[in-house]
Amino acid sequence: MANFTLDDVRQRTYKARDAWWTVLLVDPLAARLVKFTANRTRITPNQLTVGALILGLGAGACFAAASWPWLLAGAVLYHLSFTLDCMDGKIARLKGTGSVFGAWLDYIFDRVRVLACAIALMAGQYAATGNVAYVWTALGVVFLDMLRYMDALEIYKVRQQMRATLIQTRQEAETLEAAVLRADGTMPDARDVGADLRSAEGALGADTEADEERVVGDDDRANAALQAGFYKRFPWYIRIRNVLLRGRIRPHLISGIEFQMGVFIVAPVIAAIVPGAIIPVVCVSAAGMLAFELFIIYKFWLSSRDYSRSLAKLNDKIDGYRAQLPAEDLEHHTGTAVVGSSG
């Protein structure tokens, strides 16, 4: 059997920044369970993923019963389900047993759990009260969860494309620079290429989803700066962000995780005490998540503008290098960089 310590678990599996719900209410328990599971059992990450789904479906069954004891039981089971869901990734990182299939399974089962619990919770309340608003609330919860993850995946994909374009542009600029130097031994403004490239790369900022996957021991966590344009407009944000990051809490305070917990833990608990509280609590959670999602979209928009301007400068320099090359040398350097729209 292995002999992982609690420090091993924290250093190898904690994300550099995470949702405050996870940091404060899940990680303290999950880390100890991960240590025990990794050292004393042969349980795999995929088995934990399946277990998380089973507990999530159990929470849904409790929600469907609708009475206050079952609402409380469902909230507890959902929190335990989420804890197991956090453990599977930690075990994978700790033991190095992660897989593409495991990541897919985790994503799909998360969506199934949200769908099942949303339907069960609201259907139970509709059956108990006859209030059709619960049906619309269920649809709203499923739609917002889908929207949140679709938006995150699309932003991640676009950022990857932007980075690929920067790499291609840098390679072409460096090749042309070397060719011009060989041709005449001079290079007007050549020293500016690196500065413009760094400016363009900095404009991208840290990718939200990718940064969440970096663990505490990762040397890249120092690169968590946000885009330059956003910093210029809101310098006070840096101070708040740094305070939160010292506690590993990401500035995106109401993300999909907090939204889920608001719907499936906070709302049932409050409804067990105050009947009819589910819809108001869900609405507050939804409003908070939408506000922070718009915040992220705004930052991404600023990032794309800075990126396009910086990349345009690089392409202008590339055109200048080409103009300095003799025709016979230019034939060997025909790469073309792609410039995104400035929006």
Side-chain angles (χ1 to χ4, degrees), residues 88-147:
D88 61 7
K90 294 181 188 302
I91 290 287
R93 289 191 288 272
L94 186 65
K95 290 188 170 184
T97 55
S99 67
V100 173
F101 177 78
W104 172 86
L105 191 71
D106 183 59
Y107 178 84
I108 295 300
F109 279 10
D110 280 353
R111 308 283 66 77
V112 170
R113 178 178 58 192
V114 170
L115 177 63
C117 286
I119 293 173
L121 177 61
M122 303 308 167
Q125 294 302 305
Y126 173 71
T129 65
N131 185 354
V132 73
Y134 286 106
V135 176
W136 293 109
T137 304
L139 293 175
V141 169
V142 173
F143 172 78
L144 289 175
D145 181 74
M146 176 192 69
L147 178 64

Side-chain angles (χ1 to χ4, degrees), residues 155-171 197 200-211 214 223 225 300 303 307 311:
I155 288 178
Y156 175 79
K157 181 179 73 173
V158 172
R159 284 182 179 274
Q160 292 295 94
Q161 293 172 348
M162 292 162 73
R163 286 189 172 88
T165 300
L166 284 176
I167 292 172
Q168 177 186 347
T169 306
R170 176 178 60 195
Q171 292 172 341
L197 181 64
E201 290 176 331
L204 287 178
D207 181 83
T208 304
E209 299 301 320
D211 188 70
R214 297 191 181 109
N223 295 322
F300 178 62
S303 173
Y307 158 83
L311 193 58

Side-chain angles (χ1 to χ4, degrees), residues 25-83:
L25 302 178
V26 176
D27 276 350
L29 172 62
R32 287 162 175 80
L33 292 177
V34 165
K35 176 189 171 185
F36 176 85
T37 302
N39 288 334
R40 304 295 181 87
T41 76
R42 298 185 183 275
I43 295 175
T44 67
N46 288 349
Q47 289 171 339
L48 289 171
T49 302
V50 173
L53 177 63
I54 292 173
L55 284 180
L57 296 178
C62 293
F63 291 149
S67 61
W68 72 265
W70 289 110
L71 289 176
L72 292 178
V76 171
L77 283 179
Y78 196 90
H79 185 70
L80 292 176
S81 171
F82 184 72
T83 300

Side-chain angles (χ1 to χ4, degrees), residues 252-255 259 282-293:
H252 190 187
L253 294 177
I254 305 181
S255 64
F259 174 64
V282 169
C283 288
V284 170
S285 300
M289 188 187 74
L290 284 174
F292 275 89
E293 288 304 306

